[in-house]
Amino acid sequence: MALIRPLTRVASPRVLIVGGGIAGIQAALEVAATGLPVTLVEEGPALGGLMAQLDKTFPTNDCAMCILSPRMLEIARHPLIDILTLTRVLRVEGEAGDFRVSLSTRPRYVDLSRCSGCGECLRVCPRQIPDPYNLGFSQTKAIHIPFPQAVPQAAYIDPAACRVFQGKPCEACLKVCPAGAIDLNQTWEEWVLNAGAVILAPGARPAEVRDFPGYGHPDVVTSLAFERLLSATGPTGGKLLRPSDQTPPGKIAFIQCVGSRDLRGGAAYCSTLCCLASLKEALMAQELSANGLEATIFYMDLRAPGKGQEQYLEQAKERRVRLCRSRVTGVEPQPAGGIAVRYTDPQGRPREESFDLAVLSVGLRASPHLARWAEGLGMAVGEHGFLAASPLIPVQTARAGVLLCGTAREPMDISEAVVSAGAAAAVASRLLTVSPRIQTRRTRLPETPLLAEHPPRIGVWLCHCGTNIAKNLDLEGLAAYVRELPGVVQVERELFACSQEATDRMQETIKGLRLNRLVVAACTPRTHEAVFREVVAGAGMNPGYVTMANIREQCAWVHQGDAPAALEKARHLLAMAVARARVLAPLHFQVFPVISRALVLGGGVAGMSAALSLADQGFHTYLVERTGSLGGLARRLYFTLEGPDPQGFLLDLQTAVYRHANIEVFTNAGLIKTTGQIGRFLSKIRQETPAGPQELGLEHGVIIVATGAQEISPLGRYLYGEDPRLLTQWELEEKIYREDPGLPRVRRVVMIQCVGSREPEHPYCSRLCCSQAVKNAILLKERYPAVEVTVLYRDLRAYGFKEGYYLQAKEKGVAFIPFEAERPPRLAAPRRRPLKVRVWDELLGQEVELTADLVVLSTGLKPAAGSEAVAQGLGIPQTLTGFFQEAHQKLWPVDTAAEGIFLAGCAHYPRDLGETVAQAQAAAGRAAGILFQTELVRGEMAAWIDPGKCRRCLGCLEVCPYGAVHLAATGPPRILPELCRGCGTCVAECPGAAIRMSRFTEAELLAQIEAALLP
């Protein structure tokens, strides 16, 4: 397989991104971060895609718009990104580096440069139509804004509904528009755009369910429709009501695999996200119900293979969500009301049960016009109608320079879509390496900052966050309380404070009322404080005068069902935030040069892929591997489900790494400690050499952690290690590859899943094991047709297109028997006789005994040895299971809590080869976004020493974990701001109170404490 190589000639540095969903948005931001101009094309009237219609995400339970809206806001204000809505790609001609893209834009009939989104046109429009955003559950007008947080925040006219375009007199919107933005004379336009690379992110659509027995009744809804019924921006304002009679349902059935894993419906694949989406919706429905709602999920296999998803499944069980392994044959309205669900239970017996509401968990399908559209792009379409990509480099298509990300390739959840978008952006940047880069400093101090005179003029914004906050907090009462706090001159409430419309109003209010402090009561500042700093900087206020009160996670969520307690706590938090705002100091940004080199820890496929991506873009990269050779776990991988040779791919990677002039490889080496911060790190590594150990100091601007994982040893389980007839899947794969002479004599093989995973010691799914078992079972049947293979499993997690190989294994005669965790298989090994495996068969309702010549254990993965030491050396967190913790599962899936340090591959969580490469490219893309900058602006958290108070005890020098305290020959020590990460350890240690922080000063803390103690 050909590896990616930078282009030697580029006529246009612009990257065209097709699709405005989460993948397209993320790809645009990542490309622009490397200094390349971007044009983002979206066929609809606004960005957001399917994600804009979701209420929450799994397994984090974050508000979907809280993730999407800040990104849309950022993209709308980015100087390197142009947004073209209502635009589609007709043709792509030319070659990589010099594409000529034909575009067509249909009229909006509204001038985007003039429309302010005021809504006057909606008020007077006489024509009502079913609202497409709420899937027809509510009404909107022929002219309307697509949804509350839409970007662009502008109206558009549906010509099929507008009276004017039907030849009838009206023009009401023309008469009332204060900006004169209505333009009924707009026409279709076509033109050509030059681009060096194209990223396709057109997304997918929900499967059609018209043929499902019983669909059509108002109380039988799809999972996407149910999201709208749950949402604060939905037809019922966040109240869960049954569509037929607007009453709260007491029992809800969630029916899985409608439009997925269904040969009759033409979708013989798993849509990956449906099981977790139903778990999420069941939990959300319980939260919205005041009467102890009963939720039942009818499933075939519960597939929760992602990070944190197994724990989410356990949480649902603890919350009494009922899980019923079955196959639903249909639903039927009952004469007295309600829905009857017909299904077959695990014993094959027909059953029927009554519910108030049935939710069909629909999968994802490729867009119906994708094949015709792909033909104009010179693209191949895969077996299931999605765009075809390389199995091992999953963003690469058959056409050079045309890349792919998100659900256009295969169904995936938000985290994987964000990762694939980052990977596509990284490859685009890598292809266009010879293009000049545009430096943009996004965070600036305003040129004419508003004075921070006293008394402070504080504005407080209360966010509803849809219903996340509003359903548990009396925001009207909270607003009345806040208005009485000293210094508060304005209190506003917003449905979503981070939306473009709300932030535009925020800027205008700050300017109009000359506010000099801002308090936002919303969700966590970890994800949104940077958004509001950008907003106030644009209004002329120093971004240091912003603070947030987290009334979502800390009030509304933790005090569900106890509104008085939530309100009382929110009052305290707001009083503390307002008190802190009164004494806040401005930020004084400092500029530091970036060391344009990278450190990659781990020489497996992830580490090598990341290193090559950075090195190809001109950045010198140190690749550190703790063993004596590169390759990691992939050295034990000989086959892939999809066909490509992993050993050949590995050899290509190793050759490219060793030959690359920008890569410096250190084997038998490990990290001792890293000091510094983003853009300026100093790492000490220890390397074992023939001359003995040596320590090296490496300076670099970014770090990628790709330390991999290791197999969980099954020693002590199922007689492994005591009987040679017991193997792991890894050992079996090697025997198949090497054509072990004993395999032809094997007649019966039993595989046991979840050995070491989904157990108390390792309570997570290792993601790979089911696919590995299916792969090896197929290999055995192909090479030794007479062998009988039986797989004992809990949930066969062949997610995505891997479902096709699961079906292929069945067709070849592989038997699959499910078992429950409470009744695991039992093994007996009589001497000189076949092995005996006993397992409870739900279908037969009794224990069965299987004889086996080989028993193969599907063992999971755990973090690589030394991961804890790496975490301590870098100062980054790990999960309770030992894998490295990302900054945010949906927003920043490859970032860590420490800026400038990124994650790739199995160090983050177990994943297959293609997924590993994609995540490595995404991490390299994030790193390149830093390295392409010549300087970084820092100004948030740093410590400084008051020389008049310093006793020179040097306690700070001893405790600083980042080596930021510098000691000269004479005088007191000083703190180097370019190395300080603002942890505050030195402040706590100093006996003379000589060290202070730029933020969270004593004045701020005392103000909050005093406010908290007030009655």
Side-chain angles (χ1 to χ4, degrees):
M1 175 174 293
L3 299 180
I4 296 163
R5 291 285 184 264
L7 300 172
T8 56
R9 188 186 73 85
V10 175
S12 172
R14 182 168 295 274
V15 177
L16 174 69
I17 299 176
V18 184
I22 184 62
I25 290 170
Q26 183 69 23
L29 291 172
E30 297 286 356
V31 171
T34 66
L36 293 172
V38 177
T39 296
L40 177 62
V41 170
E42 164 57 37
E43 286 196 32
L47 305 183
L50 275 178
M51 188 173 170
Q53 293 177 291
L54 303 183
D55 189 57
K56 286 186 180 180
T57 64
F58 61 79
T60 57
N61 279 348
D62 282 313
C63 166
M65 288 310 303
C66 286
I67 293 173
L68 191 59
S69 186
R71 274 172 156 68
M72 294 195 297
L73 186 65
E74 184 179 359
I75 210 170
R77 295 177 174 177
H78 203 294
L80 291 181
I81 301 176
D82 297 326
I83 302 172
L84 301 176
T85 54
L86 297 171
T87 301
R88 69 185 309 177
V89 175
L90 300 178
R91 293 175 302 280
V92 176
E93 299 170 319
E95 60 185 14
D98 188 16
F99 287 121
R100 295 174 301 283
V101 185
S102 299
L103 299 172
S104 173
T105 298
R106 60 189 172 98
R108 191 183 194 96
Y109 304 112
V110 173
D111 187 338
L112 279 173
S113 65
R114 293 186 176 186
C115 181
S116 63
C118 68
E120 279 297 298
C121 54
L122 282 75
R123 183 179 61 81
V124 300
C125 179
R127 186 65 187 272
Q128 285 197 334
I129 61 172
D131 187 354
Y133 179 61
N134 280 324
L135 304 179
F137 283 116
S138 62
Q139 298 288 303
T140 188
K141 300 294 185 69
I143 182 170
H144 65 278
I145 297 171
F147 53 93
Q149 307 93 326
V151 172
Q153 184 69 200
Y156 83 106
I157 294 177
D158 181 353
C162 178
R163 290 172 60 90
V164 172
F165 292 99
Q166 295 174 348
K168 300 177 182 178
C170 182
E171 298 188 352
C173 55
L174 276 167
K175 298 173 184 176
V176 301
C177 180
I182 309 300
D183 182 3
L184 301 180
N185 296 316
Q186 288 183 355
T187 58
W188 286 79
E189 295 181 15
E190 288 190 15
W191 75 101
V192 174
L193 179 79
N194 294 320
V198 177
I199 297 176
L200 305 177
R205 64 178 176 86
E208 295 287 347
V209 293
R210 293 192 186 97
D211 297 333
F212 188 84
Y215 181 71
H217 188 276
D219 293 336
V220 181
V221 300
T222 67
S223 47
L224 186 60
F226 193 65
E227 292 276 349
R228 302 311 309 143
L229 295 176
L230 294 168
S231 177
T233 57
T236 57
K239 296 179 181 178
L240 180 55
L241 302 175
R242 196 164 62 166
S244 63
D245 56 10
Q246 298 298 294
T247 60
K251 289 182 67 178
I252 301 180
F254 295 88
I255 300 167
Q256 300 306 107
C257 299
V258 178
S260 297
R261 303 185 68 184
D262 185 359
L263 292 172
R264 295 170 302 173
Y269 56 85
C270 167
S271 289
T272 301
L273 49 83
C274 317
C275 289
L276 270 293
S278 289
L279 290 172
K280 173 199 71 176
E281 290 173 352
L283 292 172
M284 289 166 56
Q286 288 183 342
E287 291 172 5
L288 289 175
S289 173
N291 302 316
L293 181 141
E294 296 179 27
T296 300
I297 297 178
F298 294 93
Y299 72 99
M300 293 190 293
D301 293 290
L302 260 174
R303 293 181 170 171
K307 192 172 187 178
Q309 293 180 1
E310 184 69 24
Q311 292 89 326
Y312 197 68
L313 170 59
E314 293 302 316
Q315 178 187 342
K317 291 178 181 177
E318 292 170 5
R319 294 272 295 274
R320 306 283 180 89
V321 174
R322 177 182 159 217
L323 306 176
C324 180
R325 191 188 292 271
S326 58
R327 182 64 170 174
V328 174
T329 55
V331 295
E332 185 176 305
Q334 294 182 314
I339 301 294
V341 176
R342 301 190 303 273
Y343 64 96
T344 304
D345 69 12
Q347 287 75 44
R349 296 170 297 195
R351 300 285 188 183
E352 185 175 297
E353 195 170 340
S354 296
F355 294 88
D356 299 318
L357 188 67
V359 180
L360 308 181
S361 187
V362 296
L364 294 180
R365 296 285 180 88
S367 182
H369 64 269
L370 195 59
R372 185 177 67 254
W373 179 70
E375 186 177 350
L377 273 65
M379 294 282 300
V381 175
E383 176 187 358
H384 303 295
F386 292 81
L387 296 175
S390 162
L392 298 185
I393 307 178
V395 300
Q396 185 171 279
T397 70
R399 187 172 183 182
V402 179
L403 308 167
L404 185 61
C405 66
T407 54
R409 176 178 64 84
E410 182 178 3
M412 61 184 69
D413 69 14
I414 295 168
S415 299
E416 296 300 321
V418 169
V419 168
S420 72
V427 173
S429 177
R430 187 174 175 184
L431 289 172
L432 306 181
T433 293
V434 299
S435 300
R437 307 296 165 137
I438 303 170
Q439 294 290 324
T440 59
R441 186 182 296 175
R442 301 299 312 286
T443 305
R444 299 173 182 265
L445 284 172
E447 294 179 4
T448 55
L450 292 177
L451 296 177
E453 70 274 4
H454 289 279
R457 297 179 58 78
I458 303 173
V460 180
W461 264 255
L462 305 178
C463 180
H464 289 231
C465 195
T467 58
N468 278 291
I469 294 172
K471 71 183 175 70
N472 288 318
L473 277 178
D474 175 13
L475 291 179
E476 185 176 349
L478 187 60
Y481 168 79
V482 173
R483 288 189 183 97
E484 303 301 319
L485 294 175
V488 174
V489 297
Q490 185 72 8
V491 178
E492 299 282 351
R493 290 163 56 191
E494 294 285 358
L495 184 65
F496 291 97
C498 59
S499 68
Q500 183 178 11
E501 182 183 18
T503 54
D504 287 345
R505 281 196 295 265
M506 188 180 291
Q507 282 190 337
E508 293 304 314
T509 304
I510 290 170
K511 294 175 184 177
L513 298 179
R514 289 187 61 81
L515 301 179
N516 55 24
R517 301 287 192 281
L518 177 70
V519 175
V520 181
C523 55
T524 170
R526 187 166 62 94
T527 57
H528 281 64
E529 191 168 42
V531 173
F532 296 114
R533 285 187 176 173
E534 290 277 355
V535 171
V536 301
M541 183 194 298
N542 186 290
Y545 293 133
V546 176
T547 187
M548 290 186 69
N550 186 349
I551 61 170
R552 188 182 73 176
E553 284 87 339
Q554 296 178 2
C555 294
W557 282 3
V558 297
H559 296 294
Q560 291 182 35
D562 192 351
L567 181 60
E568 182 66 20
K569 188 173 182 180
R571 287 176 174 173
H572 278 287
L573 290 179
L574 261 300
M576 293 164 67
V578 169
R580 183 189 180 207
R582 289 198 295 268
V583 298
L584 281 173
L587 288 179
H588 300 287
F589 292 153
Q590 301 182 59
V591 178
F592 303 108
V594 173
I595 301 172
S596 57
R597 293 190 291 274
L599 171 67
V600 178
L601 299 175
V605 165
M608 289 190 289
S609 298
L612 283 170
S613 179
L614 291 170
D616 276 348
Q617 295 176 76
F619 303 118
H620 191 83
T621 303
Y622 304 113
L623 181 59
V624 176
E625 165 57 36
R626 65 185 178 88
T627 68
S629 58
L630 303 180
L633 268 177
R635 293 199 301 267
R636 302 181 62 192
L637 191 63
Y638 300 96
F639 304 96
T640 60
L641 267 176
E642 298 82 4
D645 173 20
Q647 290 300 308
F649 179 65
L650 184 60
L651 181 60
D652 289 345
L653 281 177
Q654 291 168 332
T655 303
V657 164
Y658 278 116
R659 288 180 176 175
H660 208 296
N662 285 335
I663 299 179
E664 198 171 342
V665 179
F666 299 90
T667 54
N668 292 313
L671 178 73
I672 299 174
K673 189 177 183 181
T674 293
T675 57
Q677 63 177 16
I678 179 174
R680 298 185 63 81
F681 290 109
L682 172 62
S683 293
K684 288 185 178 181
I685 67 168
R686 178 186 177 92
Q687 184 180 28
E688 298 293 335
T689 69
Q694 62 175 349
E695 287 190 8
L696 303 169
L698 307 176
E699 290 185 318
H700 48 94
V702 295
I703 303 169
I704 294 178
V705 181
T707 50
Q710 60 184 328
E711 183 184 6
I712 297 172
S713 172
L715 282 173
R717 302 288 306 278
Y718 294 108
L719 303 178
Y720 179 83
E722 301 175 22
D723 192 309
R725 294 172 294 177
L726 272 84
L727 305 173
T728 67
Q729 293 286 0
W730 299 90
E731 293 166 341
L732 174 63
E733 184 166 338
E734 184 173 4
K735 282 181 177 292
I736 295 172
Y737 175 75
R738 303 198 184 284
E739 298 181 348
D740 186 282
L743 285 180
R745 296 193 294 271
V746 173
R747 290 292 175 264
R748 295 173 296 272
V749 176
V750 174
M751 297 179 177
I752 303 176
Q753 301 304 107
C754 297
V755 178
S757 296
R758 303 181 70 189
E759 295 180 344
E761 299 83 5
H762 303 285
Y764 54 86
C765 170
S766 287
R767 193 173 177 89
L768 303 173
C769 321
C770 287
S771 302
Q772 198 175 24
V774 168
K775 175 185 69 179
N776 287 344
I778 291 174
L779 288 169
L780 285 173
K781 293 296 290 184
E782 287 177 342
R783 299 190 177 205
Y784 313 105
V787 68
E788 297 177 7
V789 182
T790 303
V791 180
L792 309 181
Y793 69 99
R794 289 174 58 183
D795 294 286
L796 209 295
R797 292 180 172 173
Y799 57 92
F801 292 165
K802 293 177 174 62
E803 174 74 12
Y805 299 99
Y806 176 31
L807 294 175
Q808 182 181 334
K810 286 184 173 181
E811 290 168 0
K812 290 182 179 297
V814 178
F816 292 86
I817 301 176
F819 68 89
E820 298 297 326
E822 297 76 20
R823 288 180 169 178
R826 296 181 296 121
L827 176 67
R831 289 186 178 181
R832 299 179 183 177
R833 293 174 59 191
L835 298 165
K836 303 290 184 183
V837 182
R838 295 183 178 87
V839 64
W840 181 267
D841 190 316
E842 283 287 340
L843 181 62
L844 299 177
Q846 65 182 34
E847 189 174 68
V848 296
E849 183 178 274
L850 306 171
T851 58
D853 302 309
L854 279 182
V855 170
V856 185
L857 307 179
S858 293
T859 53
L861 297 180
K862 64 181 181 180
S867 295
E868 187 174 348
V870 171
Q872 291 174 352
L874 295 176
I876 59 175
Q878 295 171 279
T879 65
L880 293 176
T881 56
F883 293 100
F884 291 100
Q885 179 68 59
E886 68 280 358
H888 189 283
Q889 194 172 73
K890 306 297 185 186
L891 282 166
W892 303 299
V894 298
D895 294 55
T896 68
E899 288 187 284
I901 303 178
F902 306 97
L903 303 174
C906 294
H908 171 262
Y909 194 71
R911 59 193 64 245
D912 70 21
L913 207 55
E915 293 167 343
T916 294
V917 172
Q919 196 183 36
Q921 291 167 333
R926 293 286 291 164
I930 296 167
L931 298 181
F932 271 117
Q933 301 180 54
T934 57
E935 58 187 26
L936 287 176
V937 178
R938 308 291 295 166
E940 167 53 5
M941 291 286 287
W944 60 276
I945 298 174
D946 183 346
K949 291 184 177 181
C950 180
R951 303 175 184 175
R952 212 172 190 269
C953 70
L954 305 185
C956 55
L957 188 68
E958 295 178 4
V959 300
C960 178
Y962 306 110
V965 181
H966 175 71
L967 182 65
T970 60
R974 66 185 182 92
I975 295 174
L976 303 178
E978 67 270 21
L979 298 182
C980 178
R981 290 200 204 172
C983 68
T985 304
C986 58
V987 179
E989 179 70 16
C990 182
I995 309 180
R996 299 187 180 182
M997 301 293 296
S998 59
R999 311 296 286 172
F1000 297 102
T1001 62
E1002 287 186 11
E1004 294 173 39
L1005 296 174
L1006 287 173
Q1008 292 180 88
I1009 291 169
E1010 290 173 1
L1013 295 176
L1014 288 175

